[in-house]
């Protein structure tokens, strides 16, 4: 307490407190006319022009229309997306069908190639058979001449084998 009591009689302390009091009084005296001045200026401009309210309402209406158009456009995008999704599924199914068909065609081509190879082999075997038949035919063509030769040889042998009349 002696410090507080000592500070109360201190001239620096008294100067500081006087300065705060004077400052507060100045603020109060200045703020009152300012408030009155502001109040007077608000009385001078009693109400904003009616066009301002109309303009603000038009902006709200425009904003609402823009919002509604965004909703409508979003709905249209969703519908179009759904349609495109269905079309993509159909295209995917068609693509699978085409790829299955291509695989079937490849299998058929492989089968056809194997059949053609078998046909080629059969043709080669038939050619060999035909050539052997032709060589057999060529041999058969010589058979009558051989038979004639054999007959002549047999007749000659028969003549030699028959007893000759004694003379």
């Amino acid at each position: 307490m002696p410090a507080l009591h000592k500070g109360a009689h201190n001239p620096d302390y008294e100067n500081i407190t006087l300065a705060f009091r004077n400052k507060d009084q100045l603020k109060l005296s200045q703020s009152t006319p300012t408030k009155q001045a502001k109040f007077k200026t608000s009385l001078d401009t009693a109400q904003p022009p009616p066009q301002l309210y109309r303009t603000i309402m038009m902006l709200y209406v425009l904003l609402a229309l823009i919002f509604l158009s965004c909703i409508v456009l979003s709905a249209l995008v969703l519908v179009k997306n759904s349609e495109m999704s269905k079309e993509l599924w159909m295209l995917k199914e068609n693509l699978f069908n085409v790829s299955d068909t291509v695989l079937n065609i490849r299998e058929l081509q492989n089968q056809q190639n194997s059949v053609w190879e078998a046909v080629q082999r059969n043709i080669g075997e038939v050619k060999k058979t035909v050539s052997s038949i032709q060589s057999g035919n060529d041999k058969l063509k010589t058979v009558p001449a051989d038979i004639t030769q054999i007959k002549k040889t047999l007749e000659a042998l028969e003549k030699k084998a028959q007893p000759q009349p004694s003379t």
Side-chain angles (χ1 to χ4, degrees):
M1 280 265 201
L4 287 174
H5 192 351
K6 185 180 176 184
H9 294 292
N10 189 352
D12 290 335
Y13 179 74
E14 290 176 5
N15 286 341
I16 290 173
T17 56
L18 283 175
F20 280 120
R21 285 183 195 156
N22 288 339
K23 199 174 189 182
D24 289 339
Q25 287 176 356
L26 280 174
K27 283 184 181 177
L28 288 173
S29 65
Q30 288 176 354
S31 66
T32 307
T34 308
K35 287 182 181 176
Q36 289 175 355
K38 286 181 181 176
F39 186 70
K40 286 182 182 177
T41 57
S42 68
L43 286 177
D44 291 342
T45 59
Q47 289 190 357
Q51 292 89 4
L52 181 63
Y53 289 119
R54 284 187 191 152
T55 306
I56 291 173
M57 287 305 291
M58 290 289 239
L59 287 174
Y60 281 133
V61 168
L62 183 63
L63 183 64
L65 288 174
I66 290 172
F67 182 70
L68 287 175
S69 65
C70 286
I71 291 173
V72 167
L73 287 175
S74 296
L76 288 174
V77 166
L78 287 174
V79 168
K80 200 65 166 168
N81 187 16
S82 173
E83 289 175 3
M84 288 185 70
S85 177
K86 289 177 184 175
E87 288 178 12
L88 285 174
W89 276 108
M90 290 174 56
L91 285 173
K92 184 179 177 183
E93 289 176 8
N94 288 340
L95 182 62
F96 283 140
N97 290 340
V98 167
S99 64
D100 286 343
T101 304
V102 167
L103 288 175
N104 290 339
I105 288 173
R106 284 184 183 163
E107 288 176 12
L108 290 174
Q109 285 176 341
N110 290 338
Q111 289 175 358
Q112 184 180 16
N113 287 340
S114 64
V115 166
W116 277 112
E117 289 172 1
V119 166
Q120 294 291 338
R121 275 186 264 126
N122 289 341
I123 288 174
E125 290 174 9
V126 166
K127 283 182 180 179
K128 288 179 186 175
T129 306
V130 166
S131 66
S132 67
I133 290 173
Q134 283 178 344
S135 67
N137 280 343
D138 291 341
K139 288 179 183 177
L140 284 177
K141 287 180 184 175
T142 60
V143 167
D146 291 341
I147 291 175
T148 313
Q149 183 66 31
I150 291 172
K151 281 183 183 177
K152 286 181 184 178
T153 308
L154 283 176
E155 286 176 2
L157 287 174
E158 278 180 9
K159 284 183 186 180
K160 284 183 185 178
Q162 281 184 1
Q164 293 208 356
S166 358
T167 21

